[in-house]
Amino acid sequence: MQDQWIITEDCAGHTISEMLRRRKYSLTQRRRLRRLATVYLNDEVAAFHTRPQAGDNVRLVWDNPARHEPWEYPLDIRYEDADFLIINKPAGLLVHATVTERAHTLLHAAQAYLDRRGNGETPHPVHRLDRRTSGLLLLATNAKAQYNFNRYSMPTLWRRYFAFLHGRLPAPYAELAWPLARKPGSIIERRVDLQQGKPARTCLERLGLGAAYSYVSLLPETGRTHQLRVHCAHLGYPLLGDTLYGGDTKYIARQALHAGELQFIHPYTRKAVRVTASLPADMQALLAATR
């Protein structure tokens, strides 16, 4: 990987180490670069304590040990710039590798895509999506962009999910604020825990009713693991297909949850980015039977 810039008048006389801080590298990243990167000043090897002058060209080059083995898989990319990708993930595709699946994940597919861009990039997820959830996932294409998003843009990240729940919701709107914790004895399952749980908040809006289910919009104000699934189940209306939390597969073979809208303020341009993805075919079939 590399980073390159031209020294401006206001940066002249500062060390390259000081410039990395001004370029919004975290302390951990700066320490790692001092360990791994080679500095070039006007194409000559230099040191981090060098003080370039206005007009000089600085280039840092380093290896990226976190690179994923590329896997060729067609990706539905809804947004792309030098630092971020938004991918419409199909249900069934893992985001991260697991003990049983090490090579065929969204990150491996994104690595293959980034390799074709030819900039030495690696994908870094900004948030999570469960394997059986479909929809929009935001990736940073380098560690610096991930750090800056977490520091400057994470409070602006807004996501809207669409779901189908067992049962006919009587109310058009609900605010769910039950704290969540890991279920004892399980490394996967979560539960509502009023004593030891972490705060979690979800806004629910009913959009339509089927014969035996409800079509809803879900806005997570926090990002706890399985938050939407556990909140809906605790309310008494589990997601269709979500067998872990009380749903069944009569209507759909996976949890009927889709991340359909995503927006944020870009950490570099400070402009709003908004992306949408319509329901996939299995959920479209459910929508056709609602009113």
Side-chain angles (χ1 to χ4, degrees):
M1 295 185 67
Q2 70 172 20
D3 191 7
Q4 185 171 355
W5 66 95
I6 302 295
I7 303 301
T8 57
E9 291 287 350
D10 61 316
C11 289
H14 291 278
T15 67
I16 293 172
S17 289
E18 290 169 343
M19 290 179 196
L20 291 176
R21 180 175 56 80
R22 294 173 67 136
R23 290 176 69 79
K24 296 183 169 49
Y25 282 95
S26 70
L27 178 60
T28 299
Q29 290 170 331
R30 297 197 302 272
R31 286 173 175 168
R32 180 172 175 270
L33 288 176
R34 283 194 289 271
R35 219 173 46 245
L36 300 177
T38 301
V39 179
Y40 294 90
L41 179 63
N42 299 325
D43 293 325
E44 298 288 338
V45 175
F48 279 93
H49 61 260
T50 302
R51 297 177 183 270
Q53 300 305 306
D56 284 346
N57 183 300
V58 175
R59 181 164 56 99
L60 272 65
V61 180
W62 68 96
D63 291 330
N64 189 349
R67 186 178 183 278
H68 302 274
E69 188 66 27
W71 172 49
E72 293 295 340
Y73 180 89
L75 294 174
D76 180 8
I77 296 176
R78 297 301 179 94
Y79 174 85
E80 177 177 1
D81 64 26
D83 297 288
F84 297 99
L85 297 175
I86 299 177
I87 297 173
N88 185 24
K89 185 187 85 69
L93 180 63
L94 279 167
V95 174
H96 300 87
T98 66
V99 173
T100 57
E101 180 54 80
R102 305 297 301 174
H104 299 143
T105 73
L106 185 141
L107 292 184
H108 292 88
Q111 184 67 70
Y113 180 81
L114 292 175
D115 284 354
R116 292 194 293 274
R117 300 207 316 189
N119 299 320
E121 302 157 305
T122 55
H124 300 263
V126 171
H127 60 100
R128 301 183 301 271
L129 280 183
D130 294 335
R131 180 176 197 163
R132 300 202 305 159
T133 298
S134 58
L136 299 171
L137 181 73
L138 175 62
L139 303 178
T141 64
N142 56 82
K144 179 183 174 184
Q146 182 188 41
Y147 168 78
N148 285 320
F149 189 97
N150 289 337
R151 183 171 183 182
Y152 301 108
S153 295
M154 188 60 79
T156 73
L157 179 63
W158 181 91
R159 291 169 290 162
R160 187 184 193 197
Y161 292 76
F162 298 95
F164 290 88
L165 312 182
H166 283 283
R168 292 168 57 89
L169 277 167
Y173 183 81
E175 293 187 8
L176 314 177
W178 294 301
L180 303 179
R182 192 188 305 271
K183 184 177 180 179
S186 175
I187 62 172
I188 298 173
E189 197 170 352
R190 268 54 176 180
R191 68 172 185 176
V192 170
D193 188 329
L194 301 180
Q195 280 72 45
Q196 300 183 29
K198 295 181 179 179
R201 188 176 185 86
T202 303
C203 294
L204 180 154
E205 181 183 1
R206 188 186 67 198
L207 302 177
L209 293 171
Y213 55 79
S214 303
Y215 176 44
V216 302
S217 160
L218 299 169
L219 300 179
E221 294 186 3
T222 51
R224 308 298 178 199
T225 300
H226 295 182
Q227 174 178 318
L228 304 181
R229 299 164 63 188
V230 176
H231 273 173
C232 290
H234 193 74
L235 184 65
Y237 297 85
L239 272 69
L240 299 187
D242 190 358
T243 55
L244 184 63
Y245 293 111
D248 66 48
T249 55
K250 176 181 178 181
Y251 297 101
I252 188 171
R254 53 98 175 186
Q255 62 214 30
L257 183 63
H258 177 71
E261 297 181 21
L262 185 153
Q263 66 183 43
F264 60 91
I265 301 299
H266 198 288
Y268 300 142
T269 68
R270 305 311 298 168
K271 293 182 179 179
V273 175
R274 180 176 182 272
V275 180
T276 63
S278 58
L279 295 178
D282 57 355
M283 292 180 66
Q284 287 281 1
L286 295 170
L287 182 61
T290 64
R291 57 179 178 83

